[in-house]
Amino acid sequence: MALATGAGVTAALAVALPGSALAAPAALPANCGLSLNLVTCTFGYTGAEQTFTVPSGTTSVTVTAIGAAGSANSSGQPGGEGAQVTGTLTGLSGEQTLYVEVGQTVNTASLGVLDRQPAFNGGGAGLGIFSGSGGGASDVRTISRTVTGSLASRKIVAGGGGGNSETIEVIEPPANAGENALPAMVNDGQGTGGFAGTQTAGGQPGQGALGNSSEDCRGAEAGTAGSLGQGGIGAEGGPSAGGGGGGLYGGGGGGGPGGGECTNPPAAGGGGGGSSLVPAGGSQTLTTSPASVTISYAVDADLAIASHPNITTNATIPSGATVAYTAPAVTDPDDATPPAAVCTPASGSTFAIGTTTVTCTATDSDDVNSPVSTSFTVTVVGAAGQLAALYQDVHGLPRETGLAAMVQLAQRAVAAGHPQRACLPLTFFKIGVAFSTPWFIRPATANMLIDAATRIQAVLDC
């Protein structure tokens, strides 16, 4: 049932343990895998919206979203770290579509000199090859990004890190998701970093450098503010400011530096980090891992089939032997009456001399690990093998009075490809056993030897 939560003479029958039973997993999307009873689907950055269909009967899924890091500056200094948010989305229904957005870290070095390239899913733009864009957020929502109201339908959001500002003289660390960027103080030569997005508003922009009217020191423009789902844009300048990270609310873009001959060295602000949306009971941390979204849900995957011992038995007719066996047990804790195993070849079939593999399979459409199967072997010993065992049984008797020689004659005939020539020696063997009983052979042993010789004669079609 579906769970509500996203393999001698005395040899009458010998046994030996086979390999363990194997379960074939049900078909899952290429980005999903099954471990025990947990399906985990992983989404990486593609630059486009992706989808996840809630399985039938599933009402909740566990999501881990990782926001993208902010982009590096022209010196290769990385942007701020993205957030990692884990939580459970509840109140879902089977076949519902969830929309998955995985944020982008823009490759600054690949841009045109003055490109304004925002990161996918809300990272605010830096300036070309000079300053980094903010990292895009990663989220799961119930309305497609192409439809009005999409941002309001987000159920979990991991904020992106702030873009790193261009470095000329002053080096400032970038802002991680949820953090304000540096510099924190404005003066004539340096602007301030953008502010982090909050739970209710976008981050305020970094202030532009003040300049100094009494000297040749020009003031600079501010960055732009973050907004719902979107980071602000970093201000232009030399150096240029970083863009704000995407998030529930985006971080503000950094402020620009002073121009000309200023008292303080020119410095541009980094982009503020984007904020995150953490579901009730969830958790949040920072990470250096690439942006991604993983969705996990529990499934009914407890259908199991027991292993079955291998079987070895003697042939009783020229075509082999009829072998009956008990099918391996099938268990399914969710079903009062588990499905029965279907085995091929079936119990009661005639198995040819030699070794045959029996495969037993159980199927239940409610279990994602269905079908499950196990296999074992049935080995039917022919006349040659039975004669070898018979020789060993009589060769060790205290006074076998030529019985072993009779068996050897039969063995040579079978080995030479003249099985009918083995019939007479076996008849003499049985007569010899009868005459040696009870003086040299105990009655119980005699009966066993005669039965074995008679069975071999049946196999030889004597």
Side-chain angles (χ1 to χ4, degrees):
M1 300 176 66
L3 199 63
T5 49
V9 164
T10 57
L13 197 67
V15 298
L17 290 178
S20 60
L22 301 175
L28 290 170
N31 65 322
C32 301
L34 173 66
S35 178
L36 299 178
N37 71 326
L38 191 69
V39 173
T40 300
C41 302
T42 303
F43 300 83
Y45 168 72
T46 65
E49 182 171 80
Q50 303 170 70
T51 60
F52 171 82
T53 302
V54 179
S56 177
T58 299
T59 59
S60 67
V61 296
T62 298
V63 177
T64 295
I66 297 177
S71 296
N73 59 20
S74 56
S75 300
Q77 296 159 338
E81 297 174 358
Q84 176 173 309
V85 177
T86 298
T88 300
L89 309 188
T90 60
L92 306 178
S93 57
E95 308 306 321
Q96 179 181 1
T97 298
L98 299 180
Y99 299 91
V100 180
E101 322 290 341
V102 178
Q104 176 192 18
T105 298
V106 172
N107 180 4
T108 305
S110 69
L111 301 178
V113 174
L114 298 178
D115 284 351
R116 283 292 196 177
Q117 180 62 56
F120 178 78
N121 208 31
L127 179 63
I129 62 173
F130 302 108
S131 58
S133 301
S138 294
D139 68 72
V140 177
R141 57 187 75 179
T142 59
I143 299 176
S144 171
R145 66 188 295 115
T146 62
V147 179
T148 301
S150 178
L151 288 174
S153 75
R154 291 177 294 176
K155 298 299 183 183
I156 184 170
V157 181
N164 207 337
S165 58
E166 181 185 8
T167 296
I168 294 180
E169 297 183 50
V170 179
I171 299 176
E172 295 285 5
N176 300 321
E179 297 177 352
N180 298 330
L182 297 174
M185 300 294 294
V186 67
N187 58 38
D188 65 342
Q190 72 179 22
T192 60
F195 287 80
T198 70
Q199 294 299 296
T200 58
Q204 291 299 304
Q207 183 178 353
L210 299 175
N212 189 330
S213 59
S214 65
E215 301 178 21
D216 184 17
C217 177
R218 300 180 300 278
E221 64 180 9
T224 66
S227 58
L228 181 67
Q230 180 62 53
I233 299 172
E236 293 187 24
S240 298
L248 174 63
Y249 284 90
E261 299 296 329
C262 298
T263 303
N264 294 284
S275 61
S276 298
L277 174 61
V278 183
S283 63
Q284 175 182 358
T285 187
L286 293 172
T287 182
T288 58
S289 297
S292 66
V293 170
T294 60
I295 300 178
S296 302
Y297 57 95
V299 294
D300 186 358
D302 50 8
L303 182 66
I305 188 169
S307 60
H308 193 287
N310 294 328
I311 298 172
T312 298
T313 191
N314 289 317
T316 57
I317 54 178
S319 58
T322 299
V323 179
Y325 58 83
T326 301
V330 177
T331 57
D332 188 348
D334 301 310
D335 286 343
T337 306
V342 177
C343 301
T344 305
S347 175
S349 300
T350 297
F351 286 77
I353 292 170
T355 299
T356 301
T357 298
V358 177
T359 300
C360 298
T361 303
T363 304
D364 187 340
S365 60
D366 289 337
D367 287 78
V368 298
N369 66 325
S370 173
V372 293
S373 63
T374 188
S375 62
F376 62 95
T377 60
V378 174
T379 300
V380 178
V381 181
Q386 294 187 52
L387 284 168
L390 182 59
Y391 176 80
Q392 292 299 322
D393 286 338
V394 298
H395 185 66
L397 293 175
R399 295 181 65 181
E400 47 86 9
T401 62
L403 296 176
M406 292 297 100
V407 176
Q408 285 180 314
L409 286 174
Q411 286 181 294
R412 294 189 189 104
V414 170
H418 304 293
Q420 292 298 309
R421 295 181 184 179
C423 296
L424 188 58
L426 287 170
T427 297
F428 286 139
F429 172 83
K430 292 192 289 185
I431 293 172
V433 171
F435 275 109
S436 298
T437 306
W439 298 278
F440 306 120
I441 302 175
R442 294 177 180 176
T445 301
N447 290 336
M448 184 175 62
L449 295 173
I450 291 172
D451 287 345
T454 301
R455 184 177 62 249
I456 295 171
Q457 286 179 313
V459 176
L460 295 174
D461 199 19
C462 293

